[in-house]
Amino acid sequence: MEIYDVIVIGGGCAGASAGMYSARFNMSTLVFAEQPGGLITTTHLVENYPGIKKITGPDMGQVFMEHAMESGAKFEFSRVNTIEKVEHEGKPVFKLEAGGKEFFAWTVTLATGTKHKHLGVPGEEEYANKGVSYCALCDAAFFKDKTCAIVGGGDSAAIEANILSQHCGKVYVLVRKDFMRAEPVNQDRIEKDPKVEIKYMTEIESIEGDGEKVTHVKLKDGSDLELDGVFMAIGHDPQNELAKQIGAEVNERGDVIINREAETNVPGFYAAGDITDAKFKQAIIGAAEGVYASVMSYNYLQELHG
Amino acid sequence: MEIYDVIVIGGGCAGASAGMYSARFNMSTLVFAEQPGGLITTTHLVENYPGIKKITGPDMGQVFMEHAMESGAKFEFSRVNTIEKVEHEGKPVFKLEAGGKEFFAWTVTLATGTKHKHLGVPGEEEYANKGVSYCALCDAAFFKDKTCAIVGGGDSAAIEANILSQHCGKVYVLVRKDFMRAEPVNQDRIEKDPKVEIKYMTEIESIEGDGEKVTHVKLKDGSDLELDGVFMAIGHDPQNELAKQIGAEVNERGDVIINREAETNVPGFYAAGDITDAKFKQAIIGAAEGVYASVMSYNYLQELHG
């Protein structure tokens, strides 16, 4: 029975940082990277990670993982389904199940991040990747000169409308309320863009298509809007299922509550990155939390094993 | 009278990160970098900053400052001597003096880091840079085939003894106690190195020379030890004078107390990097604190100016 010193769940910036540091501490380290590189890989260009002036999102995800691998962390590219605390020779150990196999670790760092929120209307699942998308950056180029809608009223919606406008012939922004909460610079840009039309007080009733691809959406006012693509920019859901299984506290948003050193309320169980209750979710914050998780794991192991 | 949105005091990783992020928030930002690049520039190679696999310390200091400059932060390469809180049109503003000039800012981020501790024995100041050094990495090459001592019993002392041994003919490690607190791998290395001799229970009484350079040290047991260089590795002092002037709380080590978002007890006054009470002082932690300081400055300004 192999027991890792550290298992990190998540292969984004926070998880890879935790893996890199843990391996450099000479702790046996396994990183589960179901989504290699994490959410940053859906970002076009990153210019605000201190010390790296400019890098594409995919390259950034890649370099973080390589940094961890070259430091000695092992990687598994599968999903962890369950976690529980068991005992080994009188000491608490975490037991995980992934891909039908069991894994054991003295400490676990959760860095599962967030997932794009779904709208929850008829047609959304049926037409996923057939016109329905959650990443303008990833998919905008497939809609050259087409008509698309972006759903949302926040800064992401404005930014993604700008991205879509570079490819599409026409872009609707469908905003549920009678205002947007975008940064002024991004709001200005879409308001001045002749290709972009913002429709306030507008909600989708259902997404319709010909079975192969989206053709139009039905709006709640009863009208139809013809379009080829529907992009969602309505927020993110924290991936906190494993935190709940192990009894780690989450806040009202579902974010895992940690202290300044990345400790949760469960001894030996840490969290880092977008899954945490950090007030400001950025790669640099998640990376630092990952490093704190490694240090605290190291201290925990020193105490556990004397 | 020009009032900056943000003045950052310190041009190391933490200060430059705060400057970069603040400028990207469109806040007018001035960074005082008395020691451009900060303490990391005295490090040979950095391999544990997440996302940068390998970089020299000087290059790392440089790229962080460039990142801030290219984002729009202004730099002054002088020392801030005083800070006080004054009023401007009924609002609190920080007034700083540097190089005989006055500077004003709505918010200040302190990132002054730490300085190498001095031993405080006769001859130490007189022979500074004439045989007395606080940075083995910087100065070891000047002592090719010479005899040198490193003073200290911690991990830094062991690491720096290794560095000296690559250049010097003979290296003494002068340890005050009867044991060292070095990482086992570094301790092993110096114990196995025929050039290195560890002298426990050994303290320097005074540093002696011929007026031009160090020739020997007098030890507290009355004996002399002939050598060409004395390297200090006895810790760091937090540069907290400005924190004390403005009334920011420090802990028993002199580190400035901040919360998870880099706030001190003084509204509008933040701290980041090695000057803070972080449990683990690393570039990545300081960079994240600098980013938090920027975000909190932005929020503070929003509230101050309505």
Side-chain angles (χ1 to χ4, degrees):
Chain A
M1 170 177 168
E2 180 175 17
I3 305 180
Y4 288 95
D5 291 327
V6 175
I7 281 182
V8 179
I9 308 173
C13 294
S17 295
M20 182 270 286
Y21 244 84
S22 296
R24 286 180 60 88
F25 268 111
N26 261 333
M27 297 188 283
S28 60
T29 303
L30 175 64
V31 179
F32 283 95
E34 184 194 0
Q35 188 192 354
L39 205 64
I40 199 96
T41 58
T42 65
T43 301
H44 177 43
L45 212 55
V46 180
E47 298 184 323
N48 64 358
Y49 185 83
I52 301 178
K53 292 188 209 171
K54 190 178 281 206
I55 189 168
T56 68
D59 282 354
M60 186 154 166
Q62 181 70 20
V63 74
F64 270 72
M65 283 205 301
E66 284 175 8
H67 201 172
M69 288 174 186
E70 291 169 17
S71 299
K74 283 175 61 180
F75 272 67
E76 292 267 350
F77 298 96
S78 54
R79 178 181 180 79
V80 177
N81 297 305
T82 63
I83 182 170
E84 61 182 308
K85 220 164 190 172
V86 294
E87 278 211 355
H88 179 73
E89 294 175 356
K91 291 176 183 174
V93 67
F94 295 95
K95 176 179 163 186
L96 288 70
E97 183 273 307
K101 286 197 289 183
E102 284 180 353
F103 297 86
F104 296 89
W106 298 113
T107 73
V108 168
T109 293
L110 188 74
T112 39
T114 58
K115 280 212 171 144
H116 300 290
K117 259 191 185 141
H118 286 217
L119 196 56
V121 297
E124 184 177 11
E125 303 305 321
E126 182 185 352
Y127 289 103
N129 297 317
K130 295 173 181 171
V132 173
S133 168
Y134 300 87
C135 179
L137 184 80
C138 316
D139 297 334
F142 299 126
F143 293 88
K144 191 164 165 51
D145 300 327
K146 304 272 187 182
T147 299
C148 288
I150 184 99
V151 180
D155 198 41
S156 300
I159 290 170
E160 301 200 9
N162 280 317
I163 293 167
L164 286 175
S165 167
Q166 291 165 32
H167 299 272
C168 304
K170 171 79 184 178
V171 179
Y172 295 104
V173 185
L174 308 185
V175 184
R176 194 166 42 126
K177 298 184 180 166
D178 60 354
F179 61 91
M180 288 188 75
R181 291 164 288 99
E183 294 284 316
V185 57
N186 295 320
Q187 181 81 35
D188 281 2
R189 214 172 279 166
I190 58 172
E191 284 177 357
K192 286 179 184 148
D193 186 333
K195 280 193 196 171
V196 176
E197 181 179 339
I198 307 173
K199 292 172 87 75
Y200 291 103
M201 307 285 281
T202 302
E203 286 188 73
I204 291 176
E205 178 76 36
S206 64
I207 297 168
E208 309 288 335
D210 59 10
E212 290 298 314
K213 55 181 175 46
V214 169
T215 54
H216 63 286
V217 294
K218 278 197 186 303
L219 300 177
K220 287 208 172 157
D221 67 6
S223 67
D224 282 359
L225 189 62
E226 288 193 15
L227 38 70
D228 306 289
V230 189
F231 287 79
M232 307 298 175
I234 50 177
H236 298 89
D237 278 324
Q239 299 300 293
N240 60 16
E241 299 81 2
L242 297 171
K244 287 177 177 169
Q245 284 182 25
I246 204 69
E249 283 173 26
V250 301
N251 66 13
E252 70 289 349
R253 296 163 46 105
D255 296 337
V256 177
I257 297 170
I258 59 169
N259 64 11
R260 191 167 154 198
E261 287 86 27
E263 292 176 298
T264 70
N265 59 303
V266 178
F269 188 82
Y270 308 90
D274 288 353
I275 188 66
T276 77
D277 64 343
K279 281 199 187 153
F280 192 57
K281 301 195 177 188
Q282 293 280 283
I284 182 71
I285 304 290
E289 288 167 349
V291 167
Y292 264 129
S294 301
V295 181
M296 299 314 283
S297 298
Y298 182 83
N299 292 345
Y300 175 88
L301 287 172
Q302 298 293 105
E303 226 164 84
L304 187 70
H305 300 315
Chain B
M1 170 177 168
E2 182 175 14
I3 305 180
Y4 288 95
D5 291 327
V6 175
I7 282 182
V8 179
I9 308 173
C13 294
S17 296
M20 182 270 285
Y21 243 83
S22 296
R24 286 181 60 88
F25 267 113
N26 261 331
M27 296 188 282
S28 60
T29 303
L30 176 63
V31 179
F32 282 95
E34 184 194 0
Q35 188 191 355
L39 205 65
I40 199 98
T41 58
T42 65
T43 301
H44 178 42
L45 212 54
V46 180
E47 298 184 322
N48 64 358
Y49 185 82
I52 301 179
K53 292 186 208 171
K54 189 179 282 207
I55 189 169
T56 68
D59 282 352
M60 186 154 163
Q62 181 70 21
V63 75
F64 270 71
M65 282 204 301
E66 285 175 6
H67 201 173
M69 288 174 186
E70 291 168 17
S71 299
K74 282 174 64 180
F75 273 68
E76 291 268 349
F77 297 97
S78 54
R79 177 181 178 79
V80 177
N81 297 305
T82 63
I83 183 169
E84 60 182 310
K85 220 164 190 173
V86 296
E87 277 213 353
H88 179 73
E89 296 177 353
K91 292 176 183 174
V93 66
F94 294 95
K95 178 181 162 184
L96 288 71
E97 184 273 307
K101 286 196 289 183
E102 285 179 353
F103 297 86
F104 295 89
W106 298 114
T107 73
V108 168
T109 293
L110 189 74
T112 40
T114 58
K115 281 210 170 145
H116 301 291
K117 259 193 186 142
H118 287 217
L119 196 56
V121 297
E124 184 176 13
E125 302 304 322
E126 182 185 353
Y127 288 103
N129 297 316
K130 295 171 180 171
V132 174
S133 168
Y134 301 86
C135 178
L137 184 80
C138 316
D139 297 334
F142 300 125
F143 295 86
K144 192 164 165 52
D145 299 329
K146 305 271 186 180
T147 299
C148 288
I150 183 100
V151 181
D155 198 41
S156 299
I159 289 171
E160 301 199 7
N162 280 317
I163 293 168
L164 286 175
S165 169
Q166 290 166 33
H167 299 272
C168 304
K170 171 81 184 178
V171 178
Y172 295 105
V173 185
L174 308 185
V175 184
R176 194 165 45 123
K177 299 184 180 167
D178 61 354
F179 60 92
M180 287 188 75
R181 290 163 290 99
E183 295 284 314
V185 56
N186 295 319
Q187 181 81 36
D188 279 2
R189 216 172 277 166
I190 58 173
E191 283 177 358
K192 286 179 184 150
D193 186 335
K195 281 192 195 172
V196 176
E197 181 179 339
I198 307 173
K199 292 171 87 73
Y200 291 102
M201 307 286 280
T202 302
E203 286 188 74
I204 291 178
E205 177 77 35
S206 64
I207 297 169
E208 309 287 337
D210 59 11
E212 290 298 312
K213 54 181 176 48
V214 169
T215 54
H216 63 286
V217 294
K218 280 198 185 302
L219 300 178
K220 288 209 169 152
D221 67 5
S223 67
D224 284 356
L225 190 63
E226 287 192 16
L227 39 72
D228 307 289
V230 189
F231 288 79
M232 307 298 175
I234 50 177
H236 298 88
D237 277 324
Q239 299 300 293
N240 61 16
E241 299 83 0
L242 297 171
K244 287 177 177 169
Q245 283 182 25
I246 204 69
E249 282 172 26
V250 301
N251 68 11
E252 70 289 350
R253 297 162 46 105
D255 295 337
V256 177
I257 298 170
I258 59 168
N259 64 11
R260 190 167 153 199
E261 288 86 27
E263 293 177 297
T264 70
N265 59 305
V266 178
F269 188 82
Y270 308 90
D274 287 354
I275 188 65
T276 77
D277 62 342
K279 281 198 187 153
F280 192 57
K281 301 195 177 189
Q282 292 282 284
I284 183 70
I285 305 290
E289 288 168 348
V291 167
Y292 264 130
S294 301
V295 181
M296 299 314 281
S297 298
Y298 182 83
N299 292 346
Y300 175 87
L301 286 172
Q302 298 292 105
E303 228 167 82
L304 186 71
H305 300 316

